[in-house]
Amino acid sequence: MPVVASIDVDDPEAAAGAAARLGPPIVLKAVGPVHKSEAGGVRLGLRTPDEVRQAYQEISERVGPDMTGAIVQRMLPAGVEIILGGVNYPAFGPLVMAGMGGVLADRTFRVPPVTDPTDMIGELRCSPLLHGYRGSPPVNVDALADQITRIGRLLDDLPQVAELDLNPVIVTPDGATTVDARIRVAPCEPPPPPLLRRLR
């Protein structure tokens, strides 16, 4: 699954060096036990290593000791922001989720293998945004569908992946790229028989 290039850094100089390697535009995100957006811990559209260095210092002063470092990423072009993920329930097995975030959660679920991801996408109330809406260009729905299929395969093959959260996935005319990926791994029992999952 395509994931945006990211470099972990722990001081302003390392952040500036990472920005020089990735090239503009750059996103800088604080790391630590604090929500990045609530603490002003994200800076977008930085153009030079000096801007990234200064942004790191400013975020560090604002967030304080809760900031343990930062992530430097290449900023992706604008697109439709989708959430993909899944969970492995010990008594049931894996479940795949696709949706759009926000206050009015818009989500749909499938038991893998996901044989028709485009049908799953079509259930979302936000799906018109993917096909071009009010003059915006249509995005690559096939790339998004491919990611959903791969998530289902991953959860089916690796039951120790207890939770998977790709948020957001930026879908553009050129593809679907994950910006933030989180995986929780846990010991697991053997998966339940497929017939049991169908009966439930």
Side-chain angles (χ1 to χ4, degrees), residues 21-56:
R21 289 196 295 277
L22 293 177
I26 291 293
V27 177
L28 181 69
K29 301 177 183 178
V31 173
V34 62
H35 195 282
K36 295 184 289 291
S37 59
E38 290 176 359
V42 177
R43 293 293 178 86
L44 306 175
L46 302 171
R47 306 296 306 183
T48 67
D50 284 339
E51 287 183 10
V52 174
R53 183 186 294 108
Q54 181 177 349
Y56 189 105

Side-chain angles (χ1 to χ4, degrees), residues 111-186:
V111 173
V114 183
T115 55
D116 192 355
T118 54
D119 181 62
M120 185 178 179
I121 294 167
E123 289 182 6
L124 296 171
R125 295 190 301 274
C126 70
S127 63
L129 298 175
L130 300 167
H131 301 286
Y133 185 72
R134 294 188 176 180
S136 63
V139 298
N140 195 332
V141 177
D142 289 341
L144 179 61
D146 182 61
Q147 285 215 27
I148 292 172
T149 301
R150 290 172 182 271
I151 289 170
R153 216 176 285 154
L154 173 72
L155 293 172
D156 236 356
D157 290 347
L158 300 172
Q160 60 267 45
V161 175
E163 293 180 27
L164 172 68
D165 182 31
L166 309 182
N167 181 20
V169 176
I170 308 295
V171 191
T172 67
D174 297 324
T177 305
T178 298
V179 174
D180 285 315
R182 297 179 185 274
I183 298 176
R184 183 173 68 85
V185 179

Side-chain angles (χ1 to χ4, degrees), residues 37-81:
S37 59
E38 290 176 359
V42 177
R43 293 293 178 86
L44 306 175
L46 302 171
R47 306 296 306 183
T48 67
D50 284 339
E51 287 183 10
V52 174
R53 183 186 294 108
Q54 181 177 349
Y56 189 105
Q57 292 169 338
E58 292 172 354
I59 292 172
S60 180
E61 290 171 4
R62 179 173 295 158
V63 175
D66 282 343
M67 180 171 166
T68 59
I71 298 172
V72 178
Q73 293 180 328
R74 178 82 182 271
M75 188 169 175
L76 295 175
V80 180
E81 294 190 11

